[in-house]
């Protein structure tokens, strides 16, 4: 008689009771884990990315913003891809829209 671990495992899986129900119960934990990942990780991340895209798309002339590099300034000209931002008196820099990290409330730069 052959009592190898592979033979006993094979005999146990081909024995009585196998069927569609056991297959569903085998995949149920995987489905549950995917649902947890979706609601705790994927969905909030996609909401945050959508909010960032909407914020960057809504930037217009006169808005005050902070770039990802830490520059704070006022938008002097808004193009489709680039923004001209005044960071100091008579100092205008050209930045990409994707470099904007946050839009400040109006009048914030006057307080600084």
């Amino acid at each position: 008689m052959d009592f190898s671990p592979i033979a006993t495992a094979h005999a146990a899986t081909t024995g009585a009771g196998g069927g569609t129900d056991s297959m569903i119960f085998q995949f149920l934990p995987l489905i549950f884990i995917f649902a947890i990942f979706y609601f705790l990780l994927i969905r909030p991340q996609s909401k945050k990315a959508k909010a960032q895209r909407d914020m960057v798309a809504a930037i217009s002339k006169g808005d005050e913003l902070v770039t990802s590099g830490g520059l704070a300034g006022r938008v002097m000209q808004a193009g489709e891809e680039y923004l001209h931002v005044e960071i100091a008196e008579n100092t205008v820099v050209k930045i990409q829209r994707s470099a904007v990290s946050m839009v400040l409330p109006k009048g914030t730069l006057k307080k600084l």
Side-chain angles (χ1 to χ4, degrees):
M1 281 206 191
D2 185 21
F3 290 108
S4 71
I6 295 174
T8 28
H10 185 294
T13 58
T14 58
T20 309
D21 290 340
S22 68
M23 184 174 256
I24 291 172
F25 286 119
Q26 287 177 354
F27 285 111
L28 197 60
L30 290 173
I31 294 168
F32 183 69
I33 289 171
F34 179 75
I36 289 174
F37 272 108
Y38 176 76
F39 285 109
L40 293 179
L41 297 173
I42 298 169
R43 188 167 175 241
Q45 187 71 17
S46 64
K47 278 187 167 183
K48 187 177 178 182
K50 184 179 184 290
Q52 176 75 12
R53 274 193 315 269
D54 293 343
M55 178 198 63
V56 168
I59 294 173
S60 62
K61 182 179 177 180
D63 286 345
E64 298 172 356
L65 52 85
V66 177
T67 67
S68 57
L71 293 175
R74 184 172 292 108
V75 178
M76 302 309 285
Q77 183 182 356
E80 198 167 313
E81 185 71 27
Y82 294 97
L83 302 170
H84 294 263
V85 179
E86 183 180 40
I87 57 174
E89 200 170 316
N90 296 327
T91 306
V92 178
V93 294
K94 185 177 181 180
I95 63 166
Q96 287 183 326
R97 279 188 178 263
S98 61
V100 175
S101 63
M102 70 182 346
V103 177
L104 300 173
K106 298 278 185 187
T108 302
L109 294 179
K110 292 179 184 176
K111 296 175 187 175
L112 298 177

